[in-house]
Amino acid sequence: ETIAYQIDIAFEQIRLYNLAQKTAQRELLLRKIFETMRSSLDLNVIKNTIVNEVGKVLNADICFISSYEADNDYFFIDEHSEYRSSDDEYSFVGHDSLDLKLRGFAEIFKNNKEIGYSSIEDFVKEYNLQGSIEETFLHEINNKSGYGFSISYANKILGFMSILYNKESKQLDNEDLDFLRIIATQAGIAIYQANLYNMTQ
């Protein structure tokens, strides 16, 4: 009983240590992203910082931002907007929502919805994608789970941030999800300001 009690204490200390380490890591990331947003009006720098830092901290296989082009009503991904954990991972750079295999996702993004699934089966079932080109595409890139957050400002959609896990399924906890919501909200402000600056120039 004494040994079991000591083991229980040790496990609780490990849990608290990991929690503290995770919280510190998130705070450092937020600080870095916020500093970039405040100090730069370069849209490419902002997007690149976000996807790289979020991808690394959450151990994602892919993290990208789909920018929304309102005039032509489509999402696109450029070379500044993607993080990949390795060159083996599928690259979305150059893709846009006019591509048939991505068109279905665009409708979800435009509805300003949050996406979260720990298994492909759950996602396919929720959005009635059984047998669709989108389901086939997800299997082709070996996607296991994914999360997505709308990026907007003043109710105007500016893009969408996606985090994908392809090597193994990942269930993000509420703390991770809240963290990503904060990032998406701040990204909306930063991207809006960068766009405004570019238009002014």
Side-chain angles (χ1 to χ4, degrees):
E1 288 179 0
T2 302
I3 291 173
Y5 179 69
Q6 292 300 322
I7 290 173
D8 187 52
I9 292 174
F11 282 161
E12 179 62 13
Q13 288 175 331
I14 291 169
R15 188 189 70 80
L16 291 174
Y17 172 78
N18 289 337
L19 182 61
Q21 197 173 40
K22 181 178 177 181
T23 301
Q25 194 177 34
R26 299 290 187 273
E27 288 177 356
L28 283 172
L29 171 59
L30 285 174
R31 192 176 298 120
K32 182 171 184 178
I33 290 176
F34 291 169
E35 285 174 359
T36 301
M37 291 175 180
R38 283 195 296 265
S39 63
S40 177
L41 287 172
D42 186 325
L43 188 56
N44 293 334
V45 170
I46 291 169
K47 292 190 295 185
N48 191 255
T49 300
I50 292 170
V51 296
N52 277 288
E53 295 303 322
V54 169
K56 290 173 185 174
V57 167
L58 291 180
N59 296 314
D61 294 307
I62 300 173
C63 178
F64 63 80
I65 290 176
S66 306
S67 298
Y68 182 61
E69 174 57 61
D71 292 340
N72 298 304
D73 189 29
Y74 75 97
F75 292 86
F76 65 93
I77 303 161
D78 60 35
E79 67 272 19
H80 305 287
S81 306
E82 180 184 70
Y83 162 84
R84 290 185 295 150
S85 61
S86 72
D87 292 338
D88 295 334
E89 294 297 340
Y90 185 87
S91 176
F92 286 84
V93 173
H95 286 356
D96 60 49
S97 59
L98 300 179
D99 187 329
L100 283 176
K101 60 179 173 283
L102 299 177
R103 193 173 294 174
F105 302 123
E107 294 307 312
I108 300 172
F109 296 167
K110 281 194 290 187
N111 288 329
N112 219 17
K113 286 188 176 180
E114 186 175 299
I115 296 173
Y117 59 93
S118 57
S119 75
I120 286 292
E121 291 72 23
D122 292 343
F123 178 70
V124 167
K125 185 176 180 181
E126 181 178 355
Y127 292 98
N128 298 314
L129 296 174
Q130 295 91 337
S132 68
I133 192 170
E134 291 88 356
E135 180 186 16
T136 300
F137 174 66
L138 289 173
H139 285 298
E140 284 176 355
I141 66 172
N142 298 314
N143 182 237
K144 303 291 191 301
S145 54
Y147 301 85
F149 300 83
S150 177
I151 297 173
S152 61
Y153 182 80
N155 295 321
K156 181 179 179 181
I157 189 159
L158 301 174
F160 204 83
M161 179 173 66
S162 298
I163 299 95
L164 302 179
Y165 293 91
N166 299 336
K167 292 183 177 65
E168 59 183 30
S169 179
K170 179 75 176 283
Q171 177 72 58
L172 297 183
D173 59 27
N174 289 330
E175 185 181 348
D176 289 329
L177 296 175
D178 287 340
F179 164 74
L180 289 168
R181 291 180 189 115
I182 292 170
I183 296 293
T185 299
Q186 293 301 316
I189 297 170
I191 291 172
Y192 173 79
Q193 290 175 332
N195 285 335
L196 193 63
Y197 175 72
N198 289 336
M199 286 181 1
T200 303
Q201 277 192 318

